[in-house]
Protein backbone atom coordinates (compact mmCIF):
# COMPACT_ATOMS: atom_id res chain seq x y z
CA UNK A 1 0.00 0.00 0.00
CA UNK A 2 1.27 3.45 -0.91
CA UNK A 3 1.48 5.51 2.26
CA UNK A 4 3.19 8.52 3.83
CA UNK A 5 3.46 8.89 7.60
CA UNK A 6 4.72 12.14 9.11
CA UNK A 7 6.16 12.69 12.55
CA UNK A 8 8.11 15.31 14.46
CA UNK A 9 5.58 18.06 14.95
CA UNK A 10 5.03 19.79 18.28
CA UNK A 11 5.10 23.01 20.25
CA UNK A 12 8.25 25.07 19.79
CA UNK A 13 9.26 28.55 20.88
CA UNK A 14 9.91 31.31 18.33
CA UNK A 15 13.47 31.09 17.04
CA UNK A 16 13.64 27.37 17.69
CA UNK A 17 14.24 24.43 15.37
CA UNK A 18 12.30 21.30 14.52
CA UNK A 19 12.77 18.40 12.12
CA UNK A 20 9.82 16.74 10.46
CA UNK A 21 10.09 13.20 9.08
CA UNK A 22 7.97 11.45 6.49
CA UNK A 23 8.30 7.69 6.13
CA UNK A 24 7.16 6.34 2.79
CA UNK A 25 5.97 2.84 1.99
CA UNK A 26 4.83 1.19 -1.22
CA UNK A 27 7.07 3.31 -3.46
CA UNK A 28 10.58 4.78 -3.58
CA UNK A 29 11.05 8.36 -2.38
CA UNK A 30 14.16 8.99 -4.49
CA UNK A 31 12.32 8.06 -7.71
CA UNK A 32 9.72 10.77 -7.21
CA UNK A 33 9.33 14.49 -6.69
CA UNK A 34 8.48 14.84 -3.00
CA UNK A 35 7.41 17.88 -1.07
CA UNK A 36 5.85 19.57 1.90
CA UNK A 37 2.58 21.49 1.91
CA UNK A 38 1.25 23.34 4.95
CA UNK A 39 -2.08 24.70 6.09
CA UNK A 40 -2.16 27.37 8.78
CA UNK A 41 -5.23 27.47 11.06
CA UNK A 42 -8.22 28.76 9.10
CA UNK A 43 -6.09 29.33 6.01
CA UNK A 44 -5.54 27.67 2.66
CA UNK A 45 -2.89 25.31 1.35
CA UNK A 46 0.67 26.56 0.81
CA UNK A 47 3.56 24.86 -0.94
CA UNK A 48 6.62 24.91 1.33
CA UNK A 49 9.32 22.89 -0.42
CA UNK A 50 9.94 20.26 -3.10
CA UNK A 51 12.90 17.94 -3.62
CA UNK A 52 13.42 16.68 -7.15
CA UNK A 53 14.46 13.19 -8.21
CA UNK A 54 17.96 14.48 -8.97
CA UNK A 55 18.29 16.05 -5.51
CA UNK A 56 17.69 19.69 -6.39
CA UNK A 57 15.08 21.59 -4.43
CA UNK A 58 12.56 24.42 -4.38
CA UNK A 59 11.55 26.61 -1.44
CA UNK A 60 8.75 29.10 -1.06
CA UNK A 61 9.99 32.63 -0.45
CA UNK A 62 8.40 32.53 3.03
CA UNK A 63 10.78 29.75 4.18
CA UNK A 64 13.85 30.24 1.98
CA UNK A 65 17.04 30.28 4.05
CA UNK A 66 15.31 28.82 7.11
CA UNK A 67 13.98 25.43 5.97
CA UNK A 68 15.91 22.57 4.36
CA UNK A 69 14.38 19.57 2.62
CA UNK A 70 16.31 16.33 2.38
CA UNK A 71 15.84 12.59 2.04
CA UNK A 72 17.48 9.41 3.29
CA UNK A 73 17.27 6.87 0.50
CA UNK A 74 18.27 3.98 2.76
CA UNK A 75 15.31 4.74 5.04
CA UNK A 76 12.96 5.80 2.21
CA UNK A 77 12.23 8.89 4.29
CA UNK A 78 11.77 12.59 3.56
CA UNK A 79 12.73 15.33 6.03
CA UNK A 80 12.06 18.99 6.58
CA UNK A 81 14.54 20.78 8.82
CA UNK A 82 12.96 24.00 10.10
CA UNK A 83 15.13 26.66 11.73
CA UNK A 84 14.46 30.13 13.10
CA UNK A 85 10.79 29.30 13.45
CA UNK A 86 8.24 32.09 13.54
CA UNK A 87 4.65 32.29 14.76
CA UNK A 88 3.51 32.41 11.13
CA UNK A 89 5.03 28.94 10.56
CA UNK A 90 2.29 27.48 12.79
CA UNK A 91 0.43 25.00 10.59
CA UNK A 92 -0.34 21.41 9.80
CA UNK A 93 2.49 20.15 7.60
CA UNK A 94 1.66 17.52 4.99
CA UNK A 95 4.18 15.31 3.27
CA UNK A 96 3.39 14.90 -0.41
CA UNK A 97 4.29 12.79 -3.40
CA UNK A 98 3.85 14.56 -6.71
CA UNK A 99 2.23 13.08 -9.78
CA UNK A 100 3.32 13.86 -13.31
CA UNK A 101 1.93 13.90 -16.82
CA UNK A 102 3.61 13.94 -20.21
CA UNK A 103 4.39 17.21 -21.96
CA UNK A 104 5.92 16.18 -25.25
CA UNK A 105 9.21 14.44 -24.41
CA UNK A 106 9.17 15.84 -20.89
CA UNK A 107 7.09 15.46 -17.74
CA UNK A 108 5.23 18.09 -15.77
CA UNK A 109 4.73 17.63 -12.02
CA UNK A 110 1.21 18.86 -11.68
CA UNK A 111 -0.27 17.89 -8.32
CA UNK A 112 0.02 15.93 -5.12
CA UNK A 113 -1.16 12.38 -5.75
CA UNK A 114 -0.33 10.95 -2.31
CA UNK A 115 -0.75 12.90 0.93
CA UNK A 116 0.38 12.14 4.45
CA UNK A 117 -2.02 12.60 7.35
CA UNK A 118 -0.25 15.76 8.51
CA UNK A 119 1.73 16.76 11.59
CA UNK A 120 1.01 19.91 13.60
CA UNK A 121 3.68 22.51 14.27
CA UNK A 122 2.83 25.24 16.77
CA UNK A 123 5.29 28.10 17.23
CA UNK A 124 4.47 29.98 20.38
CA UNK A 125 6.08 31.19 23.59
CA UNK B 1 6.64 33.71 -7.14
CA UNK B 2 3.45 33.66 -9.20
CA UNK B 3 0.39 34.73 -7.20
CA UNK B 4 -2.93 32.96 -7.72
CA UNK B 5 -6.19 34.73 -6.79
CA UNK B 6 -9.51 32.93 -6.61
CA UNK B 7 -12.96 34.45 -6.59
CA UNK B 8 -15.23 34.34 -4.80
CA UNK B 9 -13.74 33.31 -1.46
CA UNK B 10 -17.08 31.85 -0.40
CA UNK B 11 -19.99 30.78 -2.55
CA UNK B 12 -23.46 29.82 -1.30
CA UNK B 13 -25.35 27.53 -3.64
CA UNK B 14 -28.12 24.93 -3.75
CA UNK B 15 -28.14 21.38 -5.03
CA UNK B 16 -28.64 21.48 -8.80
CA UNK B 17 -27.10 24.92 -9.25
CA UNK B 18 -24.45 25.66 -11.86
CA UNK B 19 -21.37 26.92 -10.04
CA UNK B 20 -18.36 28.76 -11.46
CA UNK B 21 -15.12 29.56 -9.64
CA UNK B 22 -12.49 31.85 -11.15
CA UNK B 23 -8.73 31.71 -10.70
CA UNK B 24 -6.40 34.46 -11.92
CA UNK B 25 -2.62 34.28 -12.16
CA UNK B 26 -0.31 37.26 -11.65
CA UNK B 27 1.48 36.25 -14.88
CA UNK B 28 0.83 33.71 -17.58
CA UNK B 29 0.95 30.06 -16.52
CA UNK B 30 0.00 28.84 -20.02
CA UNK B 31 -2.30 25.83 -19.49
CA UNK B 32 -0.44 24.47 -16.45
CA UNK B 33 -3.19 24.68 -13.88
CA UNK B 34 -4.71 22.09 -11.53
CA UNK B 35 -7.97 22.21 -9.58
CA UNK B 36 -8.37 20.36 -6.26
CA UNK B 37 -11.38 19.62 -4.06
CA UNK B 38 -10.71 19.58 -0.31
CA UNK B 39 -13.05 18.34 2.41
CA UNK B 40 -12.30 18.70 6.15
CA UNK B 41 -10.25 15.83 7.52
CA UNK B 42 -9.56 14.36 4.09
CA UNK B 43 -6.72 14.67 1.60
CA UNK B 44 -7.28 17.12 -1.25
CA UNK B 45 -8.39 15.43 -4.45
CA UNK B 46 -7.32 16.40 -7.97
CA UNK B 47 -10.25 17.23 -10.22
CA UNK B 48 -8.65 18.76 -13.29
CA UNK B 49 -5.12 19.31 -14.59
CA UNK B 50 -3.64 21.04 -17.61
CA UNK B 51 -6.54 23.49 -17.17
CA UNK B 52 -9.12 21.31 -18.93
CA UNK B 53 -8.21 17.62 -18.47
CA UNK B 54 -10.50 15.70 -16.13
CA UNK B 55 -8.62 13.44 -13.71
CA UNK B 56 -9.57 9.79 -14.00
CA UNK B 57 -12.66 8.93 -11.98
CA UNK B 58 -13.86 12.52 -11.56
CA UNK B 59 -17.52 13.05 -12.49
CA UNK B 60 -18.17 14.80 -15.79
CA UNK B 61 -20.17 17.56 -14.09
CA UNK B 62 -16.78 19.12 -13.31
CA UNK B 63 -15.07 21.02 -16.11
CA UNK B 64 -12.22 23.48 -16.46
CA UNK B 65 -11.44 26.18 -18.97
CA UNK B 66 -8.99 28.98 -19.59
CA UNK B 67 -5.35 29.60 -20.34
CA UNK B 68 -2.74 32.23 -19.68
CA UNK B 69 -3.89 34.17 -16.62
CA UNK B 70 -7.60 33.41 -16.28
CA UNK B 71 -9.18 30.05 -15.52
CA UNK B 72 -12.55 28.74 -14.41
CA UNK B 73 -13.83 25.63 -12.70
CA UNK B 74 -17.47 24.85 -13.42
CA UNK B 75 -19.75 22.39 -11.69
CA UNK B 76 -22.70 21.94 -14.03
CA UNK B 77 -25.19 20.68 -11.43
CA UNK B 78 -24.06 20.88 -7.81
CA UNK B 79 -24.47 17.64 -5.86
CA UNK B 80 -24.54 17.16 -2.05
CA UNK B 81 -21.04 15.61 -2.20
CA UNK B 82 -19.63 18.76 -3.84
CA UNK B 83 -19.83 21.06 -0.80
CA UNK B 84 -16.13 21.58 -0.12
CA UNK B 85 -13.27 24.01 -0.59
CA UNK B 86 -11.75 24.25 -4.07
CA UNK B 87 -8.20 25.31 -4.83
CA UNK B 88 -6.44 26.17 -8.04
CA UNK B 89 -2.70 25.58 -8.29
CA UNK B 90 -0.28 26.64 -11.02
CA UNK B 91 2.64 24.45 -12.03
CA UNK B 92 4.19 26.53 -14.80
CA UNK B 93 6.81 28.11 -12.56
CA UNK B 94 7.24 25.98 -9.48
CA UNK B 95 3.93 25.60 -7.65
CA UNK B 96 1.45 28.02 -6.07
CA UNK B 97 -2.05 27.49 -4.67
CA UNK B 98 -4.88 29.97 -4.80
CA UNK B 99 -6.37 30.95 -1.45
CA UNK B 100 -9.37 28.65 -1.89
CA UNK B 101 -13.11 28.97 -2.54
CA UNK B 102 -15.51 27.47 -0.04
CA UNK B 103 -18.73 26.18 -1.59
CA UNK B 104 -21.39 26.08 1.11
CA UNK B 105 -25.04 25.17 1.29
CA UNK B 106 -27.42 28.05 0.64
Amino acid sequence: EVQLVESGGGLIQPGGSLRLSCAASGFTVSSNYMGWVRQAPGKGLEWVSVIYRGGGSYYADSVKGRFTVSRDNSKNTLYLEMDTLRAEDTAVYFCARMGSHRDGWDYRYYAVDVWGQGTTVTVSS
Amino acid sequence: DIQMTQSPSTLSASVGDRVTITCRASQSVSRWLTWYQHKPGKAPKVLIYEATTLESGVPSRFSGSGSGTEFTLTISSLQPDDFATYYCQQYNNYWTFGQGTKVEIK
Side-chain angles (χ1 to χ4, degrees):
Chain A
E1 182 191 3
V2 171
Q3 196 174 9
L4 296 170
V5 178
E6 301 101 332
S7 59
L11 174 62
I12 188 78
Q13 290 191 337
S17 298
L18 208 56
R19 187 177 82 157
L20 305 183
S21 300
C22 170
S25 54
F27 71 98
T28 303
V29 163
S30 60
S31 297
N32 288 271
Y33 277 35
M34 299 292 298
W36 294 91
V37 174
R38 69 184 179 184
Q39 186 170 29
K43 302 293 185 182
L45 301 170
E46 180 189 16
W47 276 103
V48 173
S49 182
V50 175
I51 185 166
Y52 310 143
R53 282 201 312 270
S57 56
Y58 156 78
Y59 297 94
D61 285 346
S62 57
V63 306
K64 204 173 290 182
R66 300 188 298 122
F67 289 13
T68 304
V69 64
S70 64
R71 66 190 182 210
D72 184 329
N73 296 343
S74 67
K75 295 182 178 178
N76 208 31
T77 297
L78 181 73
Y79 301 100
L80 185 68
E81 189 77 42
M82 304 186 293
D83 296 322
T84 319
L85 282 161
R86 306 167 180 166
E88 54 265 35
D89 295 319
T90 294
V92 177
Y93 285 72
F94 297 96
C95 178
R97 185 184 81 174
M98 299 188 72
S100 62
H101 67 76
R102 292 293 297 269
D103 173 25
W105 294 105
D106 208 348
Y107 286 89
R108 290 258 179 186
Y109 288 84
Y110 71 103
V112 179
D113 68 351
V114 180
W115 295 81
Q117 84 285 358
T119 187
T120 301
V121 173
T122 304
V123 185
S124 175
S125 54
Chain B
D1 284 3
I2 297 175
Q3 308 303 316
M4 306 299 292
T5 304
Q6 290 180 230
S7 59
S9 295
T10 306
L11 188 161
S12 297
S14 301
V15 172
D17 285 352
R18 182 182 181 86
V19 165
T20 299
I21 298 168
T22 299
C23 176
R24 289 187 173 88
S26 59
Q27 63 190 76
S28 176
V29 298
S30 185
R31 61 186 187 278
W32 309 122
L33 187 103
T34 295
W35 288 98
Y36 294 84
Q37 178 192 67
H38 191 199
K39 297 180 181 179
K42 293 197 170 182
K45 172 186 172 184
V46 175
L47 300 173
I48 287 165
Y49 64 95
E50 206 173 340
T52 62
T53 303
L54 204 64
E55 183 84 331
S56 177
V58 173
S60 59
R61 63 181 179 273
F62 292 93
S63 64
S65 65
S67 66
T69 62
E70 186 151 339
F71 301 86
T72 59
L73 171 71
T74 300
I75 309 172
S76 59
S77 177
L78 197 66
Q79 298 302 299
D81 191 47
D82 301 338
F83 292 98
T85 300
Y86 293 84
Y87 293 93
C88 62
Q89 177 227 275
Q90 67 85 17
Y91 57 104
N92 180 62
N93 185 0
Y94 303 112
W95 303 270
T96 316
F97 287 106
Q99 83 279 14
T101 295
K102 184 176 182 180
V103 177
E104 59 183 27
I105 301 171
K106 192 172 186 179

